[in-house]
Amino acid sequence: MSVHDPAQSDLPDTELEWINRFARLPEAFYDRPAPAPFPGANCLAASPDMCDRLDLDPAALERDPWLGACTRGSELPGAEPLASVYAGHQFGVFVPQLGDGRAKLLGEIRTARGETWELQVKGAGPTRYSRGADGRAVVRSSVREYLVSEAMAALGVPTTRAVALFGSSLRVYRERIEPGAIVLRAAPSFIRFGHFEYFHYNGYSARLQELIDYALAHDYPELVDAEDPVAAMLEAVIGRTAEMIADWQAIGFCHGVMNTDNMSLAGLTIDYGPFAFMDAFDPGYICNHTDQGGRYAFDQQPQIAQWNLIRLAETLVIYFADPTREAAIERAKALLEDFQPQYRRAWLARMRAKLGLQAAQEGDEALIQDLLARMAAEGVDYTRFFRQLPDLEQAETRAQLELELEDRAAWQAWWSRYQARLAQEARAADARRAAMNAVNPKYILRNHLAQAAIERAEAGDPSEVLRLQRILARPFDEQPEFEAYADLPPAWASGIQLSCSS
């Protein structure tokens, strides 16, 4: 099955402008891994949006040199494959060396629009940093990452992107023997908090300075000439992270493995493993069944993000321009203390929009928190409730909802408060409804939808992956032909378990 649209004119296969800035760093930053075989490779899916952004013809991904470069490590003119080294706090425990154990950076390109993108293949075989593992990925995890990357982008959440999904006849052992797969993904930057931790905690101060200089020039060029560039960069990372976490919380997204090595310096959602969008709202929802202590539960994400930022700050504070170390530490503390207020402001703005509230009022947070408490008590589906909220203006629709609730009086009391609050808004009802539908998605990547796509893809049929890709590219639109994809999950979906190999 070809993923190429014949109506699209072919672009040259390899005439991209490769700039490969990370590869210009000293070899202490990376390894150049050997090619690894990937038998029977084929391109199962390609993202039309990302191929367009990268000036890349999707058809080129179905043949060499792109097919071989992505799946076998064969030569691609201009690319300089490498695997970077980093460390990280995993479930709160520091691991001094991690690194790209199954990912390889092909290189960095500059597009005709002037954008720069790093291209990375995930699941392409072992590297120096694989720690005895096979460096492979399976269809199960690869389909999930491919689909959620593009779904999150369509939802407006900062994220790494998926370019293509490759299958093969290779078999990989995880909890069971599974078909192997590779994702070609892209991001403006793949620098993680863990990169800084590696050089800091291992005492490589000169290399850390090089990394900081690189990160400023590459990810935050507007701060290079700031009065204190390193402090300014930390402040910017704190702000971007606060906005990203607010996005996650507003759409009911749970990452599952918020280790410092899975935190992006650019404020992107990165490394989709046991992620999930909540079905029934549960503040303490844990999507990773190996996270037995609930460290990365849904309601812990803002606190964990701040904890991770503190770990990043510990690696940077010595490079602040303050005259003394004590002064630098105090300034770093002040920046970090502002994370929670920034996050709360960003989250409140998003939640007000979900409720159709335009002007901020003092009692809004209490109104929102009380609604969430009612939703949790009743087990209301998070995504469907907010999407249907404008329809509850109709008495008949509201009555149908109330039939499903145990504490109708509490709900009705909240509804009366909400109506009184809406009465203070100047916006017309039709305009409010349109605005709410533009921020409350109808379609999300629920676990059971991903599972159906995975099962077909494991059998060699990518049709459901391609269908979901089209649906999730328009999450806020009414798509009558795909109405079933917005239904409540079936009962069996609660039995889907996700782990770090998911």
Side-chain angles (χ1 to χ4, degrees):
M1 176 183 293
S2 172
V3 299
H4 174 53
D5 180 359
Q8 180 176 341
S9 60
D10 286 354
L11 298 170
D13 282 359
T14 57
E15 289 185 12
L16 301 177
E17 182 186 357
W18 295 85
I19 53 178
N20 299 340
R21 287 178 285 178
F22 194 83
R24 303 286 77 80
L25 290 169
E27 291 190 359
F29 287 81
Y30 52 79
D31 177 43
R32 298 190 184 274
F38 196 67
N42 63 314
C43 184
L44 298 175
S47 165
D49 180 55
M50 278 311 296
C51 286
D52 180 63
R53 293 282 292 272
L54 298 173
D55 306 324
L56 180 62
D57 180 3
L61 297 168
E62 302 178 37
R63 58 179 181 261
D64 288 336
W66 277 98
L67 181 63
C70 292
T71 62
R72 302 187 303 274
S74 57
E75 184 178 356
L76 177 67
E80 298 182 61
L82 56 85
S84 71
V85 63
Y86 46 82
H89 283 81
Q90 298 196 320
F91 291 89
V93 178
F94 181 65
V95 182
Q97 181 175 300
L98 296 166
D100 291 328
R102 57 175 175 170
K104 299 175 184 178
L105 182 71
L106 296 181
E108 181 184 16
I109 64 170
R110 181 181 289 115
T111 71
R113 295 179 177 89
E115 298 175 345
T116 58
W117 291 89
E118 294 182 343
L119 303 182
Q120 190 181 78
V121 285
K122 183 175 179 179
T127 75
R128 182 194 296 177
Y129 314 117
S130 298
R131 295 186 293 169
D134 59 17
R136 295 298 186 183
V138 295
V139 165
R140 174 167 49 104
S141 60
S142 301
V143 165
R144 286 171 53 82
E145 174 154 359
Y146 176 81
L147 287 173
V148 77
S149 299
E150 296 309 277
M152 292 283 270
L155 289 166
V157 181
T159 179
T160 56
R161 301 294 301 270
V163 182
L165 171 68
F166 300 92
S168 84
S169 58
L170 182 73
R171 291 297 179 262
V172 177
Y173 179 75
R174 291 295 180 263
E175 287 88 351
R176 57 186 172 86
I177 296 176
E178 305 178 56
I182 288 174
V183 173
L184 171 62
R185 60 186 186 178
S189 172
F190 282 103
I191 296 294
R192 308 153 183 266
F193 292 8
H195 282 96
F196 297 86
E197 291 183 289
Y198 173 76
F199 292 107
H200 172 73
Y201 288 110
N202 285 295
Y204 303 140
S205 56
R207 295 301 183 218
L208 180 55
Q209 180 66 70
E210 288 176 303
L211 177 62
I212 290 170
D213 292 343
Y214 170 84
L216 279 163
H218 187 270
D219 295 343
Y220 293 94
E222 70 279 8
L223 302 179
V224 169
D225 296 323
E227 183 177 346
D228 188 342
V230 181
M233 181 170 71
L234 176 61
E235 183 176 16
V237 176
I238 289 169
R240 289 192 188 185
T241 304
E243 295 285 332
M244 178 188 71
I245 299 297
D247 283 332
W248 290 5
Q249 299 296 112
I251 61 172
F253 174 80
C254 194
H255 186 283
V257 194
M258 288 180 65
N259 299 330
T260 57
D261 53 293
N262 292 336
M263 295 292 291
S264 160
L265 191 76
L268 306 173
T269 313
I270 191 171
D271 278 4
Y272 294 99
F275 71 86
F277 291 88
M278 278 193 296
D279 295 323
F281 181 62
D282 174 7
Y285 175 64
I286 303 168
C287 67
N288 181 357
H289 79 80
T290 57
D291 183 13
Q292 296 182 359
R295 178 180 177 85
Y296 300 137
F298 177 77
D299 60 0
Q300 296 303 304
Q301 292 183 145
Q303 290 73 27
I304 289 296
Q306 185 176 36
W307 191 92
N308 289 342
L309 285 162
I310 293 170
R311 305 288 79 77
L312 175 65
E314 289 168 347
T315 72
L316 299 177
V317 68
I318 195 173
Y319 298 95
F320 282 16
D322 295 88
T324 66
R325 180 175 177 82
E326 291 74 17
I329 290 172
E330 289 305 310
R331 186 139 67 101
K333 285 181 178 178
L335 293 174
L336 291 161
E337 286 171 359
D338 196 41
F339 171 81
Q340 289 296 338
Q342 286 188 66
Y343 160 72
R344 297 302 296 181
R345 288 192 295 270
W347 178 80
L348 269 174
R350 286 157 177 77
M351 296 306 293
R352 282 192 181 100
K354 290 175 80 67
L355 267 66
L357 306 179
Q358 218 171 7
Q361 293 194 14
E362 188 174 344
D364 289 347
E365 182 167 6
L367 182 72
I368 294 164
Q369 294 289 9
D370 289 348
L371 170 62
L372 294 175
R374 295 302 332 136
M375 293 173 67
E378 299 284 356
V380 172
D381 187 88
Y382 187 84
T383 300
R384 282 175 61 89
F385 176 83
F386 280 106
R387 182 67 179 194
Q388 294 174 347
L389 186 56
D391 298 329
L392 298 180
E393 299 281 347
Q394 302 172 14
E396 183 179 345
T397 305
R398 192 165 63 256
Q400 290 175 352
L401 170 67
E402 291 175 359
L403 288 174
E404 302 173 7
L405 302 179
E406 293 185 11
D407 191 341
R408 298 180 194 175
W411 158 255
Q412 289 167 349
W414 182 87
W415 181 258
S416 296
R417 291 168 57 199
Y418 177 50
Q419 290 305 295
R421 176 64 182 84
L422 288 181
Q424 300 173 42
E425 291 283 315
R427 186 165 49 180
D430 287 347
R432 181 175 68 245
R433 178 191 180 95
M436 292 171 71
N437 284 343
V439 297
N440 290 317
K442 181 165 184 173
Y443 300 96
I444 57 170
L445 184 60
R446 296 182 186 266
N447 280 335
H448 73 283
L449 299 178
Q451 186 62 31
I454 288 165
E455 289 175 3
R456 289 198 186 183
E458 286 179 334
D461 175 9
S463 61
E464 191 63 16
V465 173
L466 298 172
R467 184 177 296 109
L468 274 175
Q469 175 179 293
R470 292 194 300 272
I471 296 168
L472 297 171
R474 299 164 49 208
F476 304 106
D477 294 349
E478 293 291 337
Q479 302 180 56
E481 68 276 29
F482 297 123
E483 190 70 25
Y485 287 81
D487 286 347
L488 289 170
W492 61 262
S494 63
I496 297 174
Q497 290 197 332
L498 305 172
S499 68
C500 290
S501 65
S502 297

